[in-house]
Amino acid sequence: MNEFSILCRVIGSLFNRQPQDPLLMPLFTLLREGKLQAQWPLEQDELLTRLQQNSDPQALAADYNALFVGSDCSVPPYASQWPNGPTEAEVRAFLSSRGMPLGEAPADHFGQLLLAASWLEDQSAEDESAVQLALFDDYLLPWCGAFLGKVEAHASTAFYRTLAMLSREAIQAMRDELAESEDDAE
């Protein structure tokens, strides 16, 4: 798993799952112990330290639910619920055409899109930056700025405000790297 995949997997998981989900416990342990910073490929130490200081999953559960869960959540995590976002069917068709196995859960969830980017990266036999660019440019970037801005504005915990900032920087850095990879391939 390379740096791109790690970034997408960590950020995607933190948005895609409830903070008290047992699958996130190892990640929260790495965060709390300050060990995630050693593996983090971007210069985001200040933001990672802020996450570390505010990473109690039980304390985050109410904020996660208020932000992302249910029909009256304050920040819908689905692309199809944003003015510039693609429909769920468009996202599903794109990912299915790349061979990604999809379950019943909506494919247009912000966290799911980042996990899909990780999956695409891990599955690619050769550098498939064009596919990654399409995922970012067509299915993630048109709406994720507004989404992350609302997360920052509506989060009641420093963890989710910080995660939104960290995510914005990381997504931009990954997008820039993809563009460079694509330019090198041409």
Side-chain angles (χ1 to χ4, degrees):
M1 203 180 331
N2 65 21
E3 293 176 344
F4 181 96
S5 184
I6 289 169
L7 287 172
C8 290
R9 183 144 322 159
V10 167
I11 296 168
S13 295
L14 289 171
F15 276 103
N16 202 44
R17 296 189 175 277
Q18 295 270 353
Q20 68 276 27
D21 187 313
L23 292 174
L24 286 184
M25 286 306 119
L27 181 53
F28 274 106
T29 299
L30 284 175
L31 257 175
R32 268 194 310 279
E33 294 175 356
K35 293 180 179 167
L36 188 60
Q37 278 173 291
Q39 311 297 313
W40 203 250
L42 300 175
E43 292 294 320
Q44 294 183 297
D45 288 354
E46 183 183 323
L47 292 173
L48 288 165
T49 298
R50 210 176 312 156
L51 282 181
Q52 178 185 356
Q53 293 165 344
N54 297 284
S55 61
D56 174 14
Q58 297 309 319
L60 300 175
D63 197 21
Y64 183 91
N65 286 322
L67 286 167
F68 308 123
V69 178
S71 57
D72 43 339
C73 65
S74 55
V75 189
Y78 302 100
S80 56
Q81 295 180 329
W82 290 86
N84 297 329
T87 66
E88 197 276 341
E90 290 168 332
V91 175
R92 186 169 287 277
F94 173 78
L95 296 174
S96 293
S97 74
R98 301 296 178 263
M100 184 173 174
L102 298 169
E104 296 297 312
D108 66 331
H109 187 287
F110 178 76
Q112 188 61 42
L113 285 166
L114 287 169
L115 292 170
S118 174
W119 185 88
L120 289 169
E121 180 71 17
D122 293 344
Q123 300 303 313
S124 63
E126 69 277 346
D127 183 38
E128 288 192 24
S129 55
V131 173
Q132 296 282 15
L133 267 174
L135 177 69
F136 272 66
D137 289 350
D138 299 340
Y139 302 102
L140 191 59
L141 290 175
W143 66 282
C144 81
F147 167 76
L148 292 170
K150 269 197 112 160
V151 172
E152 261 184 270
H154 290 274
S156 63
T157 60
F159 182 86
Y160 285 108
R161 281 191 302 275
T162 304
L163 182 61
M165 289 183 260
L166 179 125
S167 300
R168 183 180 294 109
E169 288 180 11
I171 287 168
Q172 190 57 57
M174 288 185 285
R175 170 60 180 82
D176 293 347
E177 185 181 310
L178 285 171
E180 288 171 20
S181 297
E182 190 63 11
D183 289 345
D184 293 346
E186 291 175 1

